[in-house]
Amino acid sequence: MGIFSELEKIAQSIPNYLNLSNCDPPVYGYVLEKSTQQKIDQLQISKFLGYPSWNGDEKLRQSLSQRIQKMCNVEILPDKIVMTYGVSEGFSLTFDALFHNNSGSVAIPDPSYIPLIVQAQRFSNIWFYTCGEELNWNPDLDQLVTSLEKYPETKALVIITPNSPTGAVYSEKILKELINIAGQYNLTIITDEIYDSLSFSKFVSPLEFAQEIPVIYLNGFSKVYRLPGYRLGYLGWYDPLEKYPNVWPYLKHLCKARLGVTSIAQEIAKIALQESQEAILNFVESIHKKSVFFTEQLQSIHGISVVPAQGGTYVFPKITYNIDDEMLSKYLLKTYKIYVTPGSAYGLAPAKNHLRFVTLESYEALFKGINALKKALQALGK
Ligand SMILES: Cc1ncc(COP(=O)(O)O)c(C=O)c1O
């Protein structure tokens, strides 16, 4: 985490640096379609002053149950869904609920989303399973099985698809294999699907194949619905055989202890869910085009190789020259005023010598980033 403080410190002395690391859709003009936004603007906010319920608005949870059915072909009833302060709070609730009374560990994809790693570490032991660049960033299943043999106390497996930071979208085949392994080793699946509709090809949810395996399903409104400022997410508990009858009551206890999540945000979410499919498809088309453009530009740079992202807002190129990624990101910021995060912050070996770019910016800005990277690699040599 030290590298982020260092980058922050450098950034403070550089006015108007270009941030190619910020996955905040509205900042780059990606907002809800006008008619939906107008409905939100008409809300009488003074109507929502009272405490919300611990699990969230019933109608909203009904709509989310329908959305899960549509995206995952599986039913999670509204009474097993709880609204959260973003997926971020969903992480801490999840790891607390699964690990507060035992000493198990959790298998986390490498590379992975940093706040997820941090929250998992608060409540459990963690270990990483490799997602290999040579496997198009898919999980290395043999290595996963070998590690499960080594760590028999493992209780849960995290899956992120579309993946942050790699942009991988797992196929049905890979997901079925992962679920099989989870079944063999008696693992609960934790699935983070915050980028679900932002897939450039067919999206498949791990939940679809879970059958009797327990799943904690995490999703939210920050990406597909472009509302990160309202800090709204949701957690669904799926355990058809009631293998773990204590998990839901404990989640309820945790959520009751923090009362509920902001009521106006939930009211806005109900409206956002009615946005036209066309508006979401336009958003996906725009980010897909930018991702392809950025990837093609990267492929023309000596010293860079890149696996094209299949979804989400990230491109995760490898520096093939012998240059340290942390040093390169500091150099890019100091010399060219481009803020980009070093891959090694996202995990162990597979993420080393990578850079994580967010491709939501304008084409002009993305091109500026490409030019800076080109010049930096020329200057730093091999
Ligand atoms: C994989 C992943 N999960 C969760 C989040 C954060 O979600 P939220 O804004 O709902 O807390 C992000 C944000 O970038 C993410 O990349």
Side-chain angles (χ1 to χ4, degrees):
M1 296 301 277
I3 182 65
F4 289 105
S5 310
E6 281 187 66
L7 287 169
E8 225 166 84
K9 211 166 161 193
I10 301 169
Q12 273 165 8
S13 63
I14 302 175
N16 305 326
Y17 66 87
L18 173 62
N19 191 344
L20 291 180
S21 173
N22 185 18
C23 183
D24 192 343
V27 167
Y28 305 103
Y30 293 110
V31 291
L32 289 167
E33 69 187 334
K34 212 167 178 183
S35 56
T36 310
Q37 190 53 54
Q38 277 167 349
K39 283 186 205 153
I40 291 171
D41 291 341
Q42 278 160 17
L43 280 175
Q44 290 177 288
I45 54 173
S46 58
K47 274 190 178 170
F48 304 96
L49 300 180
Y51 276 117
S53 63
W54 68 271
N55 52 351
D57 182 283
E58 194 174 343
K59 282 213 173 77
L60 175 57
R61 286 182 292 108
Q62 279 165 2
S63 302
L64 292 172
S65 172
Q66 285 163 13
R67 188 178 190 278
I68 292 171
Q69 175 79 57
K70 194 171 135 218
M71 296 301 293
C72 315
N73 285 321
V74 168
E75 186 169 55
I76 299 185
L77 291 170
D79 71 351
K80 288 292 184 297
I81 294 175
V82 61
M83 302 310 299
T84 60
Y85 282 108
V87 170
S88 305
E89 194 206 21
F91 294 145
S92 54
L93 291 170
T94 297
F95 295 113
D96 194 349
L98 295 182
F99 292 97
H100 70 282
N101 62 358
N102 66 49
S103 55
S105 25
V106 54
I108 291 185
D110 184 15
S112 209
Y113 178 60
I114 298 169
L116 182 149
I117 303 172
V118 172
Q119 294 295 353
Q121 279 169 328
R122 287 179 61 206
F123 299 98
S124 56
N125 298 317
I126 70 163
W127 55 269
F128 288 104
Y129 67 92
T130 300
C131 296
E133 190 162 24
E134 67 292 353
L135 302 171
N136 286 330
W137 291 121
N138 281 305
D140 180 337
L141 300 172
D142 293 336
Q143 192 257 344
L144 174 61
V145 170
T146 307
S147 300
L148 282 165
E149 292 291 332
K150 196 166 144 199
Y151 305 113
E153 76 289 0
T154 308
K155 300 274 187 319
L157 173 78
V158 173
I159 301 176
I160 310 172
T161 182
N163 189 275
S164 162
T166 66
V169 175
Y170 301 154
S171 66
E172 189 171 320
K173 183 169 176 288
I174 291 282
L175 289 172
K176 281 182 175 165
E177 284 172 331
L178 276 174
I179 304 285
N180 263 338
I181 294 170
Q184 278 165 30
Y185 288 87
N186 208 12
L187 308 177
T188 296
I189 302 271
I190 299 163
T191 174
D192 176 349
E193 305 188 12
I194 193 164
Y195 297 100
D196 58 8
S197 299
L198 306 187
S199 301
F200 308 148
S201 53
K202 188 175 182 283
F203 167 77
V204 192
S205 163
L207 187 57
E208 180 160 352
F209 311 109
Q211 296 188 34
E212 76 276 13
I213 295 173
V215 177
I216 290 196
Y217 171 92
L218 300 169
N219 210 329
F221 287 83
S222 296
K223 310 296 177 178
V224 175
Y225 295 98
R226 291 143 275 149
L227 296 171
Y230 293 113
R231 307 307 306 124
L232 197 63
Y234 50 105
L235 179 159
W237 173 235
Y238 171 87
D239 184 15
L241 301 185
E242 300 206 14
K243 221 169 149 184
Y244 299 117
N246 297 332
V247 169
W248 186 252
Y250 187 73
L251 276 167
K252 185 171 174 176
H253 161 77
L254 290 177
C255 293
K256 282 194 162 183
R258 59 84 158 114
L259 308 181
V261 306
T262 314
S263 31
I264 189 69
Q266 298 188 55
E267 219 45 42
I268 288 164
K270 279 196 262 179
I271 300 172
L273 282 172
Q274 292 164 24
E275 191 186 37
S276 71
Q277 201 51 31
E278 194 193 346
I280 295 178
L281 288 176
N282 287 342
F283 173 40
V284 179
E285 192 187 337
S286 172
I287 61 168
H288 185 194
K289 279 188 180 157
K290 283 185 180 174
S291 180
V292 169
F293 165 80
F294 196 73
T295 302
E296 283 172 1
Q297 294 295 322
L298 284 171
Q299 279 163 342
S300 71
I301 302 180
H302 278 291
I304 290 289
S305 72
V306 57
V307 175
Q310 297 167 291
T313 56
Y314 306 101
V315 175
F316 201 58
K318 179 177 182 172
I319 313 150
T320 57
Y321 286 174
N322 186 19
I323 299 171
D324 177 75
D325 56 346
E326 292 192 358
M327 191 278 270
L328 182 56
S329 59
K330 283 189 270 183
Y331 183 78
L332 281 166
L333 185 55
K334 274 186 206 154
T335 316
Y336 301 104
K337 302 183 184 175
I338 306 285
Y339 188 108
V340 54
T341 43
S344 44
Y346 298 87
L348 306 174
K352 236 188 144 7
N353 296 325
H354 287 74
L355 293 173
R356 192 203 71 162
F357 286 92
V358 173
T359 52
L360 291 173
E361 259 286 8
S362 66
Y363 284 95
E364 197 189 347
L366 292 175
F367 199 62
K368 210 169 152 190
I370 290 286
N371 274 333
L373 182 59
K374 237 183 231 174
K375 283 187 197 154
L377 289 177
Q378 276 164 8
L380 297 172
K382 289 151 230 189

